[in-house]
Coordinates of all heavy atoms in Angstrom, one line a residue:
M1 N 32.5 0.4 -40.7 CA 33.4 1.4 -40.0 C 32.5 2.6 -39.5 O 31.6 3.0 -40.2 CB 34.4 1.9 -41.0 CG 35.5 0.9 -41.2 SD 36.6 1.2 -42.5 CE 37.6 2.5 -42.1
M2 N 32.9 3.1 -38.4 CA 32.2 4.2 -37.8 C 33.1 5.4 -37.9 O 33.9 5.7 -36.9 CB 31.8 3.9 -36.3 CG 30.9 2.7 -36.2 SD 30.3 2.4 -34.5 CE 31.8 1.9 -33.8
F3 N 32.9 6.2 -38.9 CA 33.8 7.3 -39.1 C 33.4 8.5 -38.1 O 34.2 9.3 -37.8 CB 33.7 7.8 -40.5 CG 34.3 6.8 -41.5 CD1 33.4 6.1 -42.4 CD2 35.6 6.6 -41.6 CE1 34.0 5.2 -43.2 CE2 36.2 5.7 -42.4 CZ 35.3 5.0 -43.3
W4 N 32.1 8.6 -37.8 CA 31.7 9.7 -37.0 C 32.0 9.6 -35.5 O 32.0 10.6 -34.8 CB 30.2 10.0 -37.1 CG 29.4 8.7 -36.9 CD1 28.9 8.3 -35.7 CD2 29.0 7.8 -37.8 NE1 28.2 7.2 -35.8 CE2 28.2 6.8 -37.1 CE3 29.2 7.6 -39.2 CZ2 27.7 5.7 -37.8 CZ3 28.6 6.5 -39.8 CH2 27.9 5.6 -39.1
Y5 N 32.4 8.4 -35.0 CA 32.8 8.3 -33.6 C 34.2 8.4 -33.3 O 34.7 8.6 -32.2 CB 32.3 6.9 -33.1 CG 30.9 6.8 -32.8 CD1 30.1 5.8 -33.3 CD2 30.2 7.7 -32.0 CE1 28.7 5.7 -33.1 CE2 28.9 7.7 -31.7 CZ 28.1 6.7 -32.3 OH 26.8 6.6 -32.0
G6 N 35.0 8.4 -34.3 CA 36.5 8.6 -34.1 C 37.0 7.4 -33.3 O 36.9 6.2 -33.7
D7 N 37.7 7.6 -32.2 CA 38.3 6.5 -31.4 C 37.4 5.8 -30.6 O 37.7 4.7 -30.1 CB 39.4 7.1 -30.5 CG 40.6 7.7 -31.4 OD1 40.8 7.1 -32.5 OD2 41.3 8.5 -30.9
G8 N 36.3 6.3 -30.2 CA 35.3 5.6 -29.3 C 34.1 6.4 -29.0 O 33.9 7.4 -29.6
M9 N 33.5 6.0 -27.9 CA 32.3 6.7 -27.5 C 32.7 7.9 -26.7 O 33.6 7.9 -25.8 CB 31.4 5.8 -26.6 CG 30.0 6.1 -26.7 SD 28.9 5.0 -25.7 CE 29.6 3.4 -25.8
N10 N 31.9 9.1 -26.8 CA 32.2 10.3 -26.1 C 31.5 10.2 -24.7 O 30.8 9.2 -24.4 CB 31.9 11.5 -26.9 CG 30.5 11.6 -27.3 OD1 29.7 10.8 -26.8 ND2 30.2 12.6 -28.1
G11 N 31.5 11.3 -24.0 CA 30.9 11.3 -22.7 C 29.3 11.2 -22.7 O 28.7 10.6 -21.9
W12 N 28.7 11.8 -23.8 CA 27.3 11.7 -23.9 C 26.8 10.3 -24.2 O 25.8 9.8 -23.8 CB 26.8 12.6 -25.0 CG 26.8 14.1 -24.5 CD1 27.7 15.0 -25.0 CD2 26.0 14.7 -23.5 NE1 27.5 16.2 -24.3 CE2 26.4 16.0 -23.4 CE3 25.0 14.2 -22.7 CZ2 25.9 16.9 -22.5 CZ3 24.4 15.1 -21.8 CH2 24.8 16.4 -21.7
G13 N 27.6 9.5 -24.9 CA 27.3 8.1 -25.2 C 27.3 7.3 -23.9 O 26.5 6.5 -23.7
W14 N 28.3 7.5 -23.1 CA 28.4 6.8 -21.8 C 27.2 7.2 -20.9 O 26.6 6.3 -20.3 CB 29.7 7.1 -21.1 CG 30.9 6.4 -21.7 CD1 31.8 6.9 -22.5 CD2 31.1 5.0 -21.7 NE1 32.7 6.0 -22.9 CE2 32.3 4.7 -22.4 CE3 30.5 3.9 -21.0 CZ2 32.9 3.5 -22.6 CZ3 31.1 2.6 -21.2 CH2 32.3 2.5 -21.9
F15 N 26.9 8.5 -20.9 CA 25.7 8.9 -20.1 C 24.4 8.3 -20.6 O 23.6 7.8 -19.8 CB 25.6 10.4 -20.2 CG 24.4 10.9 -19.5 CD1 24.3 11.0 -18.1 CD2 23.3 11.4 -20.2 CE1 23.2 11.4 -17.5 CE2 22.1 11.8 -19.6 CZ 22.1 11.8 -18.2
A16 N 24.2 8.3 -21.9 CA 23.0 7.7 -22.5 C 22.9 6.2 -22.2 O 21.9 5.6 -21.8 CB 22.9 7.9 -24.0
M17 N 24.1 5.5 -22.3 CA 24.1 4.1 -22.0 C 23.8 3.8 -20.5 O 23.0 2.9 -20.2 CB 25.5 3.5 -22.4 CG 25.5 2.0 -22.2 SD 27.1 1.3 -22.8 CE 28.2 2.1 -21.7
S18 N 24.4 4.6 -19.6 CA 24.1 4.4 -18.2 C 22.7 4.7 -17.8 O 22.1 4.0 -17.0 CB 25.1 5.3 -17.4 OG 26.4 5.0 -17.6
A19 N 22.1 5.8 -18.3 CA 20.8 6.2 -18.1 C 19.8 5.1 -18.6 O 18.8 4.7 -17.9 CB 20.4 7.5 -18.7
G20 N 20.1 4.6 -19.8 CA 19.3 3.5 -20.3 C 19.3 2.3 -19.5 O 18.2 1.6 -19.3
M21 N 20.4 1.9 -18.9 CA 20.5 0.7 -18.1 C 19.8 0.9 -16.8 O 19.1 0.0 -16.3 CB 22.0 0.4 -17.8 CG 22.2 -0.9 -17.0 SD 21.6 -2.3 -17.9 CE 22.9 -2.5 -19.1
V22 N 19.9 2.1 -16.2 CA 19.1 2.4 -14.9 C 17.6 2.4 -15.2 O 16.8 1.8 -14.4 CB 19.5 3.8 -14.4 CG1 18.6 4.2 -13.3 CG2 21.0 3.7 -13.8
L23 N 17.2 2.9 -16.3 CA 15.7 2.9 -16.7 C 15.3 1.5 -16.9 O 14.2 1.1 -16.5 CB 15.5 3.8 -17.9 CG 15.5 5.3 -17.7 CD1 15.4 6.0 -19.0 CD2 14.5 5.7 -16.7
F24 N 16.1 0.7 -17.6 CA 15.7 -0.7 -17.9 C 15.5 -1.5 -16.6 O 14.5 -2.2 -16.4 CB 16.8 -1.4 -18.7 CG 16.7 -2.9 -18.8 CD1 15.7 -3.4 -19.6 CD2 17.5 -3.7 -18.1 CE1 15.5 -4.8 -19.7 CE2 17.3 -5.1 -18.2 CZ 16.4 -5.6 -19.0
W25 N 16.5 -1.4 -15.6 CA 16.3 -2.1 -14.4 C 15.2 -1.6 -13.5 O 14.5 -2.4 -12.8 CB 17.7 -2.1 -13.6 CG 18.6 -3.1 -14.2 CD1 19.7 -2.8 -14.9 CD2 18.5 -4.5 -14.2 NE1 20.4 -3.9 -15.3 CE2 19.6 -5.0 -14.9 CE3 17.6 -5.4 -13.7 CZ2 19.9 -6.4 -15.1 CZ3 17.9 -6.8 -13.9 CH2 19.0 -7.2 -14.6
G26 N 15.0 -0.3 -13.5 CA 13.9 0.3 -12.8 C 12.6 -0.2 -13.3 O 11.7 -0.5 -12.5
L27 N 12.4 -0.3 -14.6 CA 11.2 -0.8 -15.2 C 11.0 -2.2 -14.9 O 9.9 -2.7 -14.6 CB 11.2 -0.5 -16.8 CG 10.0 -1.0 -17.6 CD1 8.8 -0.1 -17.2 CD2 10.3 -0.8 -19.0
L28 N 12.1 -3.0 -15.0 CA 12.0 -4.4 -14.7 C 11.5 -4.7 -13.3 O 10.7 -5.5 -13.0 CB 13.3 -5.1 -15.0 CG 13.3 -6.6 -15.0 CD1 12.5 -7.1 -16.2 CD2 14.7 -7.1 -15.1
I29 N 12.1 -4.0 -12.3 CA 11.8 -4.1 -10.9 C 10.3 -3.7 -10.7 O 9.6 -4.3 -9.9 CB 12.8 -3.4 -10.0 CG1 14.1 -4.1 -10.1 CG2 12.3 -3.2 -8.6 CD1 15.2 -3.3 -9.4
T30 N 9.9 -2.6 -11.3 CA 8.5 -2.1 -11.1 C 7.5 -3.1 -11.6 O 6.5 -3.4 -11.0 CB 8.4 -0.7 -11.9 OG1 9.3 0.2 -11.4 CG2 6.9 -0.2 -11.7
I31 N 7.8 -3.7 -12.8 CA 6.9 -4.7 -13.3 C 6.8 -5.9 -12.4 O 5.7 -6.5 -12.2 CB 7.3 -5.1 -14.7 CG1 7.1 -4.0 -15.7 CG2 6.6 -6.4 -15.2 CD1 7.6 -4.2 -17.1
A32 N 8.0 -6.4 -11.8 CA 8.0 -7.5 -10.9 C 7.2 -7.2 -9.7 O 6.4 -8.1 -9.2 CB 9.4 -7.8 -10.6
V33 N 7.3 -6.0 -9.1 CA 6.5 -5.6 -7.9 C 5.0 -5.6 -8.2 O 4.2 -6.1 -7.4 CB 7.0 -4.3 -7.3 CG1 6.1 -3.7 -6.3 CG2 8.4 -4.5 -6.7
M34 N 4.7 -5.0 -9.3 CA 3.2 -4.9 -9.7 C 2.7 -6.3 -9.9 O 1.5 -6.6 -9.5 CB 3.1 -4.0 -10.9 CG 3.4 -2.6 -10.6 SD 3.2 -1.5 -12.0 CE 1.5 -1.5 -12.2
L35 N 3.4 -7.2 -10.5 CA 3.0 -8.5 -10.8 C 2.8 -9.3 -9.5 O 1.8 -10.0 -9.3 CB 3.9 -9.3 -11.7 CG 3.6 -10.7 -12.1 CD1 2.3 -10.7 -12.9 CD2 4.7 -11.3 -12.8
F36 N 3.7 -9.1 -8.5 CA 3.6 -9.7 -7.2 C 2.4 -9.3 -6.5 O 1.7 -10.0 -5.9 CB 4.9 -9.5 -6.4 CG 4.8 -10.0 -5.0 CD1 5.0 -11.4 -4.8 CD2 4.6 -9.2 -3.9 CE1 4.9 -11.9 -3.5 CE2 4.6 -9.7 -2.7 CZ 4.7 -11.1 -2.5
R37 N 2.1 -7.9 -6.5 CA 1.0 -7.4 -5.8 C -0.3 -7.9 -6.4 O -1.3 -8.2 -5.7 CB 1.0 -5.9 -5.9 CG 1.9 -5.2 -4.9 CD 1.8 -3.8 -5.0 NE 2.5 -3.1 -3.9 CZ 2.5 -1.8 -3.7 NH1 1.9 -1.0 -4.5 NH2 3.2 -1.3 -2.7
T38 N -0.4 -8.0 -7.7 CA -1.6 -8.5 -8.4 C -1.9 -9.9 -8.0 O -3.0 -10.3 -7.7 CB -1.5 -8.3 -9.9 OG1 -1.2 -6.9 -10.2 CG2 -2.7 -8.8 -10.6
L39 N -0.8 -10.7 -8.0 CA -1.0 -12.2 -7.7 C -1.3 -12.3 -6.2 O -2.1 -13.2 -5.9 CB 0.3 -12.9 -8.1 CG 0.5 -13.1 -9.6 CD1 1.9 -13.8 -9.8 CD2 -0.6 -13.8 -10.3
D40 N -0.8 -11.5 -5.4 CA -1.1 -11.6 -4.0 C -2.6 -11.2 -3.7 O -3.2 -11.8 -2.9 CB -0.2 -10.6 -3.2 CG -0.3 -10.8 -1.7 OD1 -0.4 -12.0 -1.3 OD2 -0.3 -9.9 -0.9
R41 N -3.1 -10.2 -4.4 CA -4.5 -9.9 -4.2 C -5.4 -10.9 -4.8 O -6.5 -11.2 -4.3 CB -4.8 -8.5 -4.9 CG -4.3 -7.4 -4.2 CD -4.8 -6.1 -4.7 NE -4.1 -5.0 -4.1 CZ -3.6 -3.9 -4.8 NH1 -3.8 -3.8 -6.1 NH2 -3.0 -3.0 -4.1
A42 N -5.0 -11.6 -5.9 CA -5.8 -12.6 -6.5 C -5.9 -13.9 -5.7 O -6.7 -14.7 -6.0 CB -5.3 -12.9 -7.9
S43 N -5.1 -14.0 -4.7 CA -5.1 -15.2 -3.9 C -6.3 -15.4 -3.0 O -6.5 -16.4 -2.3 CB -3.8 -15.3 -3.0 OG -3.8 -14.3 -2.1
G44 N -7.2 -14.3 -3.0 CA -8.4 -14.4 -2.2 C -8.3 -13.7 -0.9 O -9.3 -13.6 -0.1
R45 N -7.2 -13.2 -0.5 CA -7.0 -12.4 0.7 C -7.6 -11.0 0.5 O -7.3 -10.4 -0.5 CB -5.6 -12.4 1.1 CG -5.3 -12.3 2.6 CD -3.9 -12.5 2.9 NE -3.0 -11.9 2.0 CZ -1.9 -11.2 2.3 NH1 -1.6 -11.1 3.5 NH2 -1.1 -10.7 1.4
P46 N -8.3 -10.4 1.5 CA -8.8 -9.1 1.3 C -7.6 -8.1 1.3 O -6.5 -8.4 1.9 CB -9.7 -8.9 2.5 CG -9.3 -9.9 3.5 CD -8.7 -11.1 2.7
P47 N -7.7 -7.0 0.6 CA -6.6 -6.0 0.6 C -6.1 -5.5 1.9 O -5.0 -5.3 2.2 CB -7.1 -4.9 -0.3 CG -8.4 -5.4 -0.9 CD -8.8 -6.5 -0.1
G48 N -7.1 -5.2 2.8 CA -6.7 -4.7 4.2 C -6.4 -5.9 5.1 O -7.0 -7.0 5.0
S49 N -5.4 -5.8 6.0 CA -5.1 -6.8 6.9 C -6.1 -7.0 8.0 O -6.3 -8.0 8.6 CB -3.7 -6.7 7.4 OG -3.6 -5.5 8.1
R50 N -6.7 -5.9 8.4 CA -7.7 -5.9 9.5 C -9.1 -6.0 9.0 O -9.4 -5.5 7.9 CB -7.6 -4.6 10.3 CG -6.4 -4.5 11.2 CD -6.4 -3.2 12.0 NE -7.7 -3.0 12.6 CZ -8.0 -2.1 13.5 NH1 -7.0 -1.3 13.9 NH2 -9.2 -1.9 14.0
A51 N -9.9 -6.8 9.6 CA -11.3 -6.9 9.3 C -12.0 -5.7 9.7 O -11.6 -4.9 10.6 CB -11.9 -8.1 9.9
A52 N -13.1 -5.4 9.0 CA -13.9 -4.2 9.4 C -14.5 -4.4 10.8 O -15.1 -5.4 11.1 CB -15.0 -4.0 8.4
T53 N -14.4 -3.3 11.6 CA -14.9 -3.4 12.9 C -16.3 -2.7 12.9 O -16.5 -1.7 12.2 CB -14.0 -2.7 13.9 OG1 -13.8 -1.4 13.5 CG2 -12.7 -3.4 14.0
T54 N -17.2 -3.2 13.7 CA -18.5 -2.7 13.8 C -18.5 -1.6 14.9 O -17.6 -1.5 15.7 CB -19.6 -3.7 14.2 OG1 -19.2 -4.3 15.5 CG2 -19.6 -4.9 13.1
A55 N -19.6 -0.8 15.0 CA -19.7 0.2 16.0 C -19.8 -0.4 17.4 O -19.2 0.2 18.4 CB -20.9 1.1 15.7
E56 N -20.4 -1.6 17.5 CA -20.5 -2.2 18.8 C -19.2 -2.7 19.3 O -18.9 -2.6 20.5 CB -21.5 -3.4 18.8 CG -22.9 -2.9 18.6 CD -23.9 -4.1 18.6 OE1 -23.5 -5.2 19.0 OE2 -25.1 -3.8 18.3
Q57 N -18.3 -3.2 18.4 CA -17.0 -3.6 18.8 C -16.1 -2.4 19.3 O -15.4 -2.5 20.2 CB -16.3 -4.3 17.6 CG -16.9 -5.7 17.3 CD -16.3 -6.2 16.0 OE1 -15.8 -5.5 15.2 NE2 -16.3 -7.6 15.9
I58 N -16.2 -1.3 18.6 CA -15.5 -0.1 19.0 C -16.0 0.4 20.3 O -15.2 0.7 21.2 CB -15.7 1.0 17.9 CG1 -15.0 0.6 16.6 CG2 -15.1 2.3 18.4 CD1 -15.3 1.5 15.4
L59 N -17.3 0.3 20.5 CA -17.8 0.7 21.8 C -17.3 -0.2 22.9 O -17.0 0.3 24.0 CB -19.4 0.7 21.7 CG -20.1 1.5 22.8 CD1 -19.7 2.9 22.9 CD2 -21.6 1.3 22.6
G60 N -17.3 -1.5 22.7 CA -16.8 -2.4 23.7 C -15.3 -2.2 24.0 O -14.9 -2.3 25.1
E61 N -14.5 -1.9 22.9 CA -13.1 -1.6 23.1 C -12.9 -0.3 24.0 O -12.0 -0.3 24.9 CB -12.4 -1.4 21.8 CG -12.3 -2.7 21.0 CD -11.7 -2.4 19.6 OE1 -11.4 -1.3 19.3 OE2 -11.6 -3.4 18.9
R62 N -13.7 0.7 23.8 CA -13.7 1.9 24.6 C -14.0 1.6 26.0 O -13.4 2.2 26.9 CB -14.6 3.0 24.0 CG -14.1 3.5 22.7 CD -14.9 4.7 22.2 NE -14.8 5.8 23.1 CZ -15.6 6.9 23.1 NH1 -16.6 6.9 22.3 NH2 -15.4 7.8 24.0
L63 N -15.0 0.8 26.3 CA -15.3 0.4 27.6 C -14.2 -0.4 28.3 O -13.8 -0.1 29.4 CB -16.6 -0.5 27.7 CG -17.0 -1.0 29.0 CD1 -17.4 0.1 29.9 CD2 -18.1 -2.0 28.9
A64 N -13.6 -1.3 27.5 CA -12.4 -2.0 28.1 C -11.2 -1.2 28.4 O -10.5 -1.4 29.3 CB -12.0 -3.1 27.1
R65 N -11.0 -0.1 27.6 CA -9.9 0.8 27.9 C -10.2 1.8 29.0 O -9.3 2.5 29.4 CB -9.5 1.6 26.6 CG -8.8 0.7 25.6 CD -8.2 1.6 24.5 NE -9.2 2.4 23.8 CZ -9.7 2.1 22.6 NH1 -9.3 1.0 21.9 NH2 -10.6 2.8 22.0
G66 N -11.5 1.9 29.4 CA -11.8 2.8 30.5 C -12.1 4.2 30.0 O -12.2 5.1 30.8
E67 N -12.3 4.4 28.7 CA -12.7 5.7 28.2 C -14.1 6.1 28.5 O -14.4 7.3 28.6 CB -12.5 5.7 26.7 CG -11.0 5.5 26.2 CD -10.9 5.5 24.7 OE1 -11.9 5.7 24.0 OE2 -9.8 5.2 24.2
I68 N -15.0 5.1 28.6 CA -16.4 5.4 29.0 C -16.7 4.4 30.1 O -16.1 3.4 30.3 CB -17.3 5.2 27.8 CG1 -17.2 3.8 27.2 CG2 -17.1 6.2 26.7 CD1 -18.2 3.5 26.1
D69 N -17.7 4.8 30.9 CA -18.2 4.0 32.0 C -19.3 3.1 31.5 O -19.8 3.2 30.4 CB -18.6 4.8 33.2 CG -19.7 5.8 32.9 OD1 -20.1 5.9 31.8 OD2 -20.2 6.4 33.9
E70 N -19.7 2.2 32.4 CA -20.7 1.2 32.0 C -22.1 1.8 31.7 O -22.8 1.4 30.8 CB -20.9 0.1 33.1 CG -21.7 -1.1 32.7 CD -21.7 -2.1 33.7 OE1 -20.9 -2.1 34.6 OE2 -22.6 -3.0 33.6
E71 N -22.4 2.8 32.4 CA -23.7 3.5 32.1 C -23.7 4.1 30.7 O -24.7 4.0 30.0 CB -24.0 4.6 33.2 CG -25.2 5.4 33.0 CD -25.4 6.5 34.0 OE1 -24.8 6.4 35.1 OE2 -26.1 7.4 33.7
E72 N -22.6 4.8 30.4 CA -22.6 5.4 29.0 C -22.5 4.3 28.0 O -23.1 4.5 26.9 CB -21.3 6.3 28.9 CG -21.3 7.1 27.7 CD -20.1 8.1 27.6 OE1 -19.4 8.2 28.7 OE2 -19.9 8.7 26.6
Y73 N -21.8 3.2 28.3 CA -21.8 2.1 27.3 C -23.1 1.6 27.0 O -23.5 1.4 25.9 CB -20.9 1.0 27.9 CG -20.9 -0.3 27.1 CD1 -20.3 -0.4 25.9 CD2 -21.7 -1.4 27.6 CE1 -20.3 -1.6 25.2 CE2 -21.7 -2.6 26.9 CZ -21.1 -2.7 25.6 OH -21.1 -3.8 24.9
R74 N -23.9 1.3 28.1 CA -25.3 0.8 27.8 C -26.2 1.8 27.1 O -26.9 1.4 26.2 CB -25.9 0.4 29.2 CG -25.2 -0.8 29.8 CD -26.0 -1.2 31.1 NE -25.2 -2.2 31.8 CZ -25.2 -3.5 31.5 NH1 -25.8 -3.9 30.4 NH2 -24.4 -4.3 32.2
R75 N -26.0 3.1 27.4 CA -26.8 4.1 26.8 C -26.5 4.2 25.3 O -27.4 4.2 24.4 CB -26.6 5.5 27.4 CG -27.6 6.5 27.0 CD -27.3 7.9 27.6 NE -26.1 8.5 27.1 CZ -25.1 8.9 27.8 NH1 -25.1 8.8 29.1 NH2 -24.0 9.4 27.2
R76 N -25.2 4.2 25.0 CA -24.8 4.2 23.5 C -25.2 2.9 22.8 O -25.5 3.0 21.6 CB -23.3 4.5 23.4 CG -23.0 5.9 23.9 CD -21.6 6.2 23.7 NE -21.3 7.6 24.2 CZ -20.4 8.4 23.6 NH1 -19.7 7.9 22.5 NH2 -20.1 9.6 24.1
L77 N -25.0 1.8 23.5 CA -25.4 0.5 22.8 C -26.9 0.5 22.5 O -27.3 0.0 21.4 CB -25.0 -0.6 23.8 CG -25.1 -2.0 23.2 CD1 -24.2 -2.2 22.0 CD2 -24.8 -3.1 24.3
T78 N -27.7 1.0 23.4 CA -29.1 1.0 23.2 C -29.4 1.9 22.0 O -30.3 1.6 21.1 CB -29.9 1.5 24.4 OG1 -29.5 0.7 25.5 CG2 -31.4 1.5 24.2
A79 N -28.7 3.1 22.0 CA -29.0 4.0 20.9 C -28.5 3.4 19.5 O -29.2 3.6 18.5 CB -28.2 5.3 21.1
L80 N -27.4 2.7 19.5 CA -27.0 2.0 18.3 C -28.0 1.0 17.8 O -28.3 0.9 16.6 CB -25.6 1.4 18.5 CG -24.4 2.2 18.4 CD1 -23.1 1.4 18.8 CD2 -24.2 2.8 17.0
R81 N -28.4 0.2 18.7 CA -29.3 -0.9 18.3 C -30.7 -0.4 17.9 O -31.4 -1.0 17.1 CB -29.5 -1.9 19.5 CG -28.2 -2.7 19.6 CD -28.3 -3.8 20.7 NE -27.1 -4.5 20.7 CZ -26.8 -5.3 21.7 NH1 -27.6 -5.4 22.8 NH2 -25.6 -6.0 21.7
S82 N -31.1 0.7 18.4 CA -32.4 1.3 18.1 C -32.3 2.0 16.7 O -33.3 2.2 16.0 CB -33.0 2.2 19.1 OG -32.2 3.3 19.3
A83 N -31.2 2.5 16.3 CA -31.0 3.2 15.1 C -30.8 2.3 13.9 O -31.0 2.8 12.8 CB -29.8 4.1 15.2
E84 N -30.5 1.0 14.1 CA -30.3 0.1 13.0 C -31.7 -0.2 12.3 O -32.7 -0.3 13.0 CB -29.7 -1.2 13.5 CG -28.2 -1.0 13.9 CD -27.6 -2.3 14.4 OE1 -28.2 -3.3 14.2 OE2 -26.5 -2.2 14.8
P85 N -31.7 -0.3 11.0 CA -33.0 -0.6 10.3 C -33.5 -2.0 10.5 O -32.8 -2.9 10.7 CB -32.6 -0.4 8.8 CG -31.1 -0.5 8.7 CD -30.6 -0.2 10.1

C-alpha cells in the first residue's frame, strides 16, 4: 500500500514521468544516429564527399570561368610548378 500518495500521482509525478520518457527517447535516437554515422564512416568512404582539389585544378577552373586570362594562367602555372619540391 502506498500511504504517501493518497489517491494517485500528483502533478510533479506526471511531470517527472513525462520528462523521463522524453529523455529516454532522445537518448535512444542519439545513440542510433551516432551508431549509423560510425558505421557509415567505417565503410571505407572518406568523410568529405568532395575529393581534395589541387592548386592546378583550381587554376584551371578559374580559367574556364573566365576569371583569369590565358597569359595569367600560364604565368601562375609556371610559378606553381617551379615552387613544388
Side-chain angles (χ1 to χ4, degrees):
M1 284 172 69
M2 297 185 292
F3 295 110
W4 53 88
Y5 283 125
D7 291 336
M9 208 179 328
N10 61 9
W12 287 109
W14 285 106
F15 173 75
M17 185 176 62
S18 299
M21 187 60 78
V22 168
L23 288 174
F24 169 75
W25 284 109
L27 182 65
L28 192 67
I29 290 170
T30 301
I31 290 172
V33 167
M34 291 177 74
L35 182 65
F36 177 75
R37 283 184 168 182
T38 303
L39 292 175
D40 190 39
R41 284 190 189 136
S43 67
R45 212 170 37 138
S49 60
R50 285 182 47 169
T53 56
T54 63
E56 291 184 13
Q57 289 173 336
I58 294 172
L59 196 58
E61 290 174 4
R62 290 186 64 194
L63 177 67
R65 284 193 299 259
E67 294 177 6
I68 57 175
D69 60 355
E70 190 174 344
E71 178 184 337
E72 187 174 355
Y73 170 77
R74 292 187 191 281
R75 190 179 73 234
R76 289 183 183 215
L77 188 62
T78 305
L80 278 174
R81 289 184 177 164
S82 66
E84 291 181 7

